[in-house]
Amino acid sequence: MSDTSQLPTASAPRPDVPPLLSFSLALWLGAALAYNGAQAATARSCFVVAIVSAVLCLVALLIHWKAVRALPMLLVAGLLGGAGWALSCGGLLHGDEARTPTGGTIELRAIEDARDFGFGPVFAAEVLTGDGAGLHVRACLPEGAQTPLYGNRVVGDASWSNVGESGKDRAWSAGLSHDIKLSSCEIKQEQGVFSAISTVRTRAISMLNVQAEPGTESGSALLQALLCGYRGNLSDSALYDAFKTTGLAHLVAVSGAHLSIASMAFGIVLRKLRTGRGVLIGAQVLFLASFLVLTGCSPSSVRAAIMAGASLLSFFAGKRHASLAAVGLAVVAFILLDAKNAVSVSFTLSALSTAGIVMFAPLFSGWVDRVQFAPIRVACGPVVITLASSVLTGAYSAALFSQTSLVGPLANVLTAPFFPVLCVGGYVSCAAGLAFPFTAHACVGAACVAATWFNNLVQACAAIPHAAIPIYANPAVCLAVSGAFAAALWMAWPTRVSARTASALLAGAVVLCVVPWAVSARCSDEVVMLDVGQGDAFLVRSKGSAVLIDTGTNDAMLREALARHRVLSLDAVIISHGDDDHMGSLEDVANVVEIDNVLVANDAFSCACDSCERLLHAASLAARDGSVLGLSPGDEIEVGNFSLSVIWPDSFSDEGGNADSLCLLMTHNVSSTDATRSATMLFTGDAEAEQLEYMIDEEHIGNVDVLKVGHHGSRASLTDEVARELSPNIALISVGEGNRYGHPADECLAILDGVGAQVFRTDEQEDVSCTFENDGTVRVQVG
């Protein structure tokens, strides 16, 4: 019997792709490739190749002009033009890097909101005065200094330095030429019209903080991100992790997607209520204008507003060809204004999400319009927009966050109807509070309560077991795959797809996603030193069991590392001590990996220090059912063929600090064929030579095959005597490239070399896997 059930055909015709959009995409690709390549070139070579590219671009445009509809030549012209422009900008940045400004009093203008990472606010800024005028730099203020917002002027005494090796790639992508540190600073407001806008934004952020009711702090943080583009409170909270876990991070970003979803959903409701065209347009213009004012007219908000405007033109006027051309024109304009936009993550998400909405929202709307029940059609409007915006960005976002949300479709369906209401209601409440201060408490308080309820819904979705899984993928490859999928969807636009075929395609996609994770990456007994930058994270697994010892503090790097090794669940996470570089990512990893238990030193429960308090709080949130257990010397943890014995500390003497690190002696419990002893490994956390000497004297440890070098290879981590007693064949040092501590110390490396240890470091070899064989040998694989 043939299958006659079919999905509905789209009511809207397939849009044509205007030449301007094709040209803009080629220009974008050429600029992105050239800007990244320019980093490794010299200023002179950048300018020479830029001139050649410009000439060839003009030739290609001339050929295109003479040969009507010569699309290939238009694409070549776009690639060459983008490359030439980006190379010239790269050459200028090299010239900026070569400048050597002197110290002294300078004035800066913040070009982004500052973030405080515990050692003082850090932000990108433009230098306004002195011999460094015109440079874009990364500025660091003294610890405890007021945190500047976008547009604030900062005056202070500065010292200059070149960007360190570890931060060069990030600085190049942001167009920053130097690092500066201010020993003193004073924050001033901008002058003129911009000052008024900046003042409104500052007042709005403050009002959302002050007027929030007790218990609605998370709602206040969400509204600050949605309405003002300020993510300082949101990014530092577990709430942002919940948005990432549920695939809703795009909702709290200043992007075309965020604004388009909110404004278009708002417009859909107005249309369903049969609002007049004039009122509809006026409401949308007012909505975009309020967004620009409350976000301080930052470049990202202006970009988002322009992209959202193109989306609205398509959705409400039905002129998708013109809208796609407008998107293309916007892409060209933004890249010509600033070539580094070509490699900007926020620009990529904003532009591609807008293009997805313009092109595919009518297709999905056509399917929804065939639903007979009107309330469902209205409720599905925001879902349609979200789905369309994800066509070109979903895979890219997953690669950026190193995770993919399995509850994303459910979370979008549940939250999409409420999101535009929250945004529009938030703008109205904020505007009322600013215009009439006596209403601020009532208006903002109500908005914060509503935002808190919204957050509770997001967090409930994030709490579903295996809500997200870690993935490891190249963002560029994901973009290419998304582009191919979008092209296939566009080409198949008028085709009727049977329900059976659609089900088979869906099942095939699920199988392709799940099977690689269902099959274990390795069946061997192994310990993997994960590259998480300046921090520790060691994966121990055997016979289907897995334990993570420490998490580091770089969330993205840890998620990527777990994804590379296909880790979906952990029997336990063992935290050596409460320093951030050993437990900072504990809460984040729990969002993508199921954790049965968190294990800490037993004395941490009775220690009153701040680090132990933070550790226990994070552990209770990370562990399933809040199962946090204490470990004392003599305790053992079985991980397949491995036994981990606790040998330190007997009791805390350093308030849970380095000297109180949990130390574990691991034994591989497989009888070797030649009757030699089983291989052993010592995990030391940040314990150093003084603590190791005590363990040796008490005969807790002797010779080991593998040594996790304490405290990232600091000067005090080893002595000649300790190294001779341990006599490791393999030494593992987890350390960040170009770290400011000078780890590992030359003295430590010399000591290890003196005992014949083979040293492996994450800053040089990235992940390091140690496979424990049945004959007692340890095989090492890097990368």
Side-chain angles (χ1 to χ4, degrees):
M1 182 181 294
S2 61
D3 179 23
T4 57
S5 60
Q6 294 180 326
L7 295 176
T9 303
S11 58
R14 180 175 63 187
D16 293 328
V17 179
L20 181 55
L21 180 63
S22 301
F23 174 79
S24 70
L25 294 177
L27 180 88
W28 188 357
L29 177 60
L33 294 174
Y35 190 81
N36 282 328
Q39 184 179 1
T42 63
R44 180 171 181 173
S45 61
C46 284
F47 288 127
V48 170
V49 179
I51 293 173
V52 174
S53 298
V55 172
L56 293 177
C57 174
L58 292 175
V59 172
L61 285 174
L62 182 61
I63 295 175
H64 171 73
W65 183 267
K66 293 294 183 181
V68 180
R69 298 182 182 276
L71 182 61
M73 293 312 300
L74 184 64
L75 298 178
V76 170
L79 284 169
L80 291 170
W85 173 242
L87 286 168
S88 63
C89 293
L92 292 174
L93 182 53
H94 277 306
D96 289 343
E97 290 176 334
R99 292 171 62 178
T100 55
T102 58
T105 301
I106 62 171
E107 184 174 353
L108 312 170
R109 183 175 67 86
I111 55 178
E112 66 177 6
D113 292 334
R115 292 280 308 277
D116 195 333
F117 296 96
F119 50 83
V122 179
F123 59 101
E126 179 186 4
V127 182
L128 303 178
T129 60
D131 54 357
L135 295 180
H136 284 194
V137 300
R138 182 174 55 190
C140 181
L141 301 185
E143 187 173 351
Q146 181 182 347
T147 302
L149 297 177
Y150 169 76
N152 287 163
R153 291 175 178 256
V154 181
V155 180
D157 295 324
S159 59
W160 293 75
S161 63
N162 293 324
V163 177
E165 286 296 325
S166 60
K168 275 192 173 181
D169 291 345
R170 194 181 310 110
W172 180 268
S173 297
L176 308 178
S177 61
H178 293 79
D179 285 337
I180 64 171
K181 291 185 178 180
L182 278 71
S183 57
S184 62
C185 65
E186 178 187 359
I187 296 180
K188 298 181 177 180
Q189 288 289 337
E190 183 65 275
Q191 303 298 316
V193 175
F194 188 84
S195 173
I197 295 176
S198 179
T199 299
V200 170
R201 180 177 187 245
T202 303
R203 285 181 56 202
I205 294 172
S206 176
M207 181 178 65
L208 288 168
N209 259 336
V210 174
Q211 302 297 340
E213 295 287 344
T216 63
E217 291 81 6
S218 68
S220 170
L222 176 61
L223 289 176
Q224 287 175 336
L226 293 180
L227 309 181
C228 307
Y230 176 71
R231 295 171 57 184
N233 293 328
L234 180 68
S235 297
D236 296 332
S237 69
L239 177 61
Y240 186 50
D241 293 331
F243 275 91
K244 291 187 290 186
T245 299
T246 53
L248 299 174
H250 60 281
L251 297 182
V252 293
V254 179
S255 69
H258 155 213
L259 192 57
S260 296
I261 291 170
S263 57
M264 292 174 67
F266 176 47
I268 289 173
V269 174
L270 293 178
R271 283 180 57 178
K272 297 298 182 182
L273 295 175
R274 302 186 183 278
T275 305
R277 185 178 182 85
V279 175
L280 178 63
I281 294 174
Q284 293 292 353
V285 170
L286 183 61
F287 184 85
L288 293 179
S290 64
F291 169 80
L292 286 173
V293 172
L294 288 178
T295 54
C297 287
S298 65
S300 58
S301 64
V302 171
R303 182 171 63 224
I306 291 175
M307 293 297 180
S311 303
L312 292 172
L313 177 65
S314 165
F315 207 76
F316 296 119
K319 300 178 180 179
R320 281 180 293 147
H321 186 278
S323 294
L324 287 172
V327 172
L329 180 62
V331 168
V332 172
F334 282 122
I335 291 178
L336 293 182
L337 284 172
D338 193 345
K340 69 174 182 289
N341 278 330
V343 296
S344 166
V345 170
S346 61
F347 175 75
T348 299
L349 292 174
S350 186
L352 292 183
S353 62
T354 302
I357 290 171
V358 172
M359 182 168 288
F360 296 113
L363 171 65
F364 302 146
S365 292
W367 295 347
V368 171
D369 286 343
R370 293 176 177 266
V371 177
Q372 298 299 315
F373 191 47
I376 292 181
R377 291 201 305 270
V378 175
C380 285
V383 179
V384 163
I385 303 168
T386 302
L387 181 61
S389 73
S390 300
V391 169
L392 288 168
T393 61
Y396 180 64
S397 296
L400 289 176
F401 293 126
S402 302
Q403 63 184 25
T404 184
S405 176
L406 300 183
V407 300
L410 173 65
N412 275 284
V413 168
L414 293 177
T415 61
F418 304 107
F419 180 71
V421 177
L422 179 64
C423 284
V424 176
Y427 280 114
V428 172
S429 299
C430 199
L434 291 171
F436 309 103
F438 63 90
T439 68
H441 181 74
C443 293
V444 173
C448 288
V449 169
T452 301
W453 289 344
F454 185 86
N455 291 341
N456 292 339
L457 178 59
V458 173
Q459 290 173 318
C461 293
I464 297 174
H466 296 296
I469 59 174
I471 67 165
Y472 179 66
N474 187 302
V477 173
C478 288
L479 278 178
V481 171
S482 295
F485 173 74
L489 184 61
W490 178 81
M491 293 175 65
W493 191 291
T495 304
R496 284 182 176 270
V497 182
S498 70
R500 179 179 297 174
T501 302
S503 299
L505 291 174
L506 179 60
V510 171
V511 169
L512 288 174
C513 291
V514 172
V515 166
W517 292 100
V519 179
S520 177
R522 295 179 178 86
C523 297
S524 54
D525 301 334
E526 66 173 353
V527 174
V528 186
M529 178 170 65
L530 303 175
D531 180 16
V532 293
Q534 184 63 20
D536 272 10
F538 288 79
L539 176 65
V540 181
R541 59 182 175 183
S542 170
K543 297 176 66 174
S545 296
V547 165
L548 183 68
I549 302 177
D550 289 335
T551 68
T553 191
N554 190 312
D555 298 344
M557 293 186 73
L558 180 61
R559 288 196 303 270
E560 288 178 9
L562 293 174
R564 284 194 296 271
H565 297 278
R566 302 177 188 173
V567 177
L568 284 177
S569 62
L570 292 164
D571 297 279
V573 174
I574 303 173
I575 301 297
S576 63
H577 63 299
D579 285 358
D580 280 346
D581 58 337
H582 291 257
M583 55 75 64
S585 295
L586 178 56
E587 291 181 59
D588 181 81
V589 72
N591 292 315
V592 292
V593 172
E594 195 75 16
I595 299 171
D596 287 345
N597 302 288
V598 177
L599 309 179
V600 301
N602 196 51
D603 279 7
F605 291 98
S606 57
C607 182
C609 72
D610 291 340
S611 62
C612 284
E613 184 177 334
R614 290 196 307 271
L615 169 59
L616 294 175
H617 176 70
S620 65
L621 294 176
R624 181 189 296 175
D625 300 326
S627 180
V628 184
L629 305 176
L631 294 175
S632 300
D635 291 340
E636 289 197 0
I637 304 105
E638 300 294 330
V639 185
N641 289 327
F642 292 119
S643 289
L644 293 162
S645 299
V646 180
I647 59 174
W648 185 266
D650 292 329
S651 61
F652 274 10
S653 60
D654 189 27
E655 291 191 332
N658 293 347
D660 295 332
S661 294
L662 268 175
C663 295
L664 307 167
L665 181 63
M666 187 184 77
T667 305
H668 188 223
N669 296 323
V670 175
S671 299
S672 58
T673 56
D674 58 1
T676 59
R677 66 181 180 85
S678 298
T680 57
M681 178 173 179
L682 178 62
F683 293 95
T684 60
D686 274 351
E688 297 181 323
E690 182 179 351
Q691 290 77 48
L692 294 176
E693 287 174 358
Y694 182 88
M695 291 179 236
I696 292 170
D697 291 341
E698 294 297 313
E699 298 184 352
H700 294 321
I701 51 175
N703 291 353
V704 294
D705 295 282
V706 184
L707 171 65
K708 201 298 288 188
V709 180
H711 203 183
H712 319 289
S714 69
R715 185 179 289 105
S717 61
L718 285 173
T719 62
D720 291 322
E721 293 77 9
V722 168
R724 282 196 298 269
E725 289 290 339
L726 297 178
S727 190
N729 299 319
I730 298 166
L732 304 180
I733 304 177
S734 185
V735 64
E737 181 181 2
N739 67 87
R740 60 193 178 102
Y741 306 102
H743 295 159
D746 292 338
E747 296 89 336
C748 175
L749 296 175
I751 290 171
L752 291 169
D753 182 64
V755 296
Q758 192 175 7
V759 178
F760 296 92
R761 304 161 45 172
T762 52
D763 62 335
E764 293 183 349
Q765 284 110 2
E766 299 179 344
D767 291 353
V768 179
S769 300
C770 298
T771 302
F772 288 69
E773 305 288 1
N774 290 348
D775 61 0
T777 61
V778 180
R779 179 167 48 86
V780 179
Q781 181 178 352
V782 300

